[in-house]
């Protein structure tokens, strides 16, 4: 979503993005002329008249589970976004009985919060595991 | 999905669902509403619903966030088309 019109979205997709991604953008390119939606999400910069690089993860109930906002010159990390979605999906599936420690990826161990784990995380989880 | 807009000369616009258009304008302009806006985007709280015109696979259409209930949604904002990164 940006403040560009759908006409500009079409030109960008058809003339540039489709040369980088086969078939072009596979999802909806939304137009927010005036920044009304961006303002509600706290990413619209009225001085510049554009929206910052905001990324919101919204769960199947419509609840925001996470967001990240960057100023324009720095691009996002799509792999990190996917990792977070996988973690939130696991937590949702387990109904909160498991939590994903720092650096978790699918297949890595989760933690099961409860009285037995209080003060014992150091026994089962090491800081190095965050970047393995 | 919301109705597809006609591709005419009038620029289609979207906006928040359930908020009168005048109030949306006020929201952007008055500083006193900043706190209210911040409250709207807490994690663990519902995302504000909106509808917006869209370009999707060669067609002009329209999208409402609440049409995607039941699915995970990644909503990305960016400064503008052709902005390099």
């Amino acid at each position: 979503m940006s403040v560009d019109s759908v006409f500009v979205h079409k030109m960008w997709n058809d003339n540039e993005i489709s040369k980088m991604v086969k078939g072009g953008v596979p999802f909806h390119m939304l137009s927010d002329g005036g920044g009304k939606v961006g303002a509600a999400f706290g990413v619209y910069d009225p001085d510049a008249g554009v929206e910052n690089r905001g990324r919101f993860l919204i769960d199947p109930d419509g609840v925001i589970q996470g967001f990240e906002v960057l100023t324009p010159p720095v691009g996002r990390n799509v792999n990190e976004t996917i990792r977070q979605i996988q973690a939130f999906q696991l937590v949702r599936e387990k109904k909160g009985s498991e939590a994903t420690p720092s650096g978790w990826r699918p297949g890595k161990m989760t933690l099961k919060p409860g009285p037995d784990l209080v003060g014992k995380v150091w026994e089962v989880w090491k800081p190095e595991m965050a970047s393995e | 999905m919301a109705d597809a807009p006609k591709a005419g000369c009038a620029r289609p616009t979207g906006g928040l669902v359930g908020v009168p258009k005048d109030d949306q304008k006020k929201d952007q302009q008055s500083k006193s509403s900043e706190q209210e806006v911040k409250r709207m985007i807490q994690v663990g709280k519902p995302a504000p619903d909106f509808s917006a015109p869209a370009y999707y696979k060669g067609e002009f259409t329209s999208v409402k966030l609440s049409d995607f209930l039941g699915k995970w949604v990644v909503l990305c904002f960016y400064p503008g088309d052709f902005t390099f990164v």
Side-chain angles (χ1 to χ4, degrees):
Chain A
M1 172 171 275
S2 73
V3 298
D4 297 284
S5 70
V6 289
F7 308 127
V8 181
H9 284 340
K10 175 176 165 51
M11 285 297 114
W12 189 34
N13 177 72
D14 296 1
N15 295 297
E16 187 171 37
I17 296 182
S18 57
K19 290 170 183 161
M20 296 189 268
V21 179
K22 202 180 170 192
V25 178
F27 37 77
H28 294 85
M29 299 174 78
L30 305 178
S31 172
D32 186 25
K36 291 188 288 277
V37 178
F41 280 81
V43 299
Y44 181 69
D45 177 354
D47 296 329
V50 299
E51 285 156 357
N52 286 310
R53 293 190 195 280
R55 183 228 65 189
F56 296 80
L57 300 182
I58 302 168
D59 76 12
D61 297 322
V63 172
I64 297 174
Q65 292 296 343
F67 60 82
E68 175 188 74
V69 184
L70 308 175
T71 52
V74 172
R76 336 166 193 263
N77 183 336
V78 176
N79 289 336
E80 171 59 7
T81 297
I82 292 170
R83 187 196 73 83
Q84 288 182 17
I85 295 168
Q86 289 168 328
F88 281 120
Q89 287 178 334
L90 178 140
V91 167
R92 187 179 170 91
E93 184 193 327
K94 303 288 181 186
K95 300 188 190 308
S97 65
E98 295 182 28
T100 60
S102 175
W104 179 89
R105 280 180 283 108
K108 289 175 76 172
M109 68 168 269
T110 58
L111 295 175
K112 296 178 182 62
D116 295 345
L117 191 60
V118 176
K120 304 278 176 146
V121 172
W122 69 274
E123 291 181 2
V124 294
W125 188 85
K126 313 292 175 198
E128 306 86 78
M129 293 166 73
S131 46
E132 277 171 356
Chain B
M1 297 284 156
D3 291 336
K6 285 197 184 112
C9 291
R11 188 164 155 168
T13 55
L16 300 180
V17 173
V19 182
K21 285 236 152 98
D22 286 352
D23 287 359
Q24 295 187 27
K25 220 174 185 182
K26 222 186 297 161
D27 248 19
Q28 261 175 268
Q29 286 166 353
S30 90
K31 286 206 168 150
S32 63
S33 68
E34 270 178 24
Q35 281 178 324
E36 203 177 332
V37 167
K38 272 178 192 156
R39 236 183 296 131
M40 288 178 81
I41 55 154
Q42 275 184 23
V43 290
K45 300 282 186 251
D49 195 15
F50 64 84
S51 67
Y55 177 65
Y56 181 56
K57 295 186 174 173
E59 304 288 337
F60 294 127
T61 177
S62 182
V63 157
K64 196 171 159 197
L65 179 62
S66 51
D67 286 339
F68 291 85
L69 287 171
K71 291 181 173 181
W72 284 87
V73 171
V74 180
L75 175 64
C76 283
F77 294 88
Y78 59 98
D81 296 340
F82 302 102
T83 53
F84 311 106
V85 300

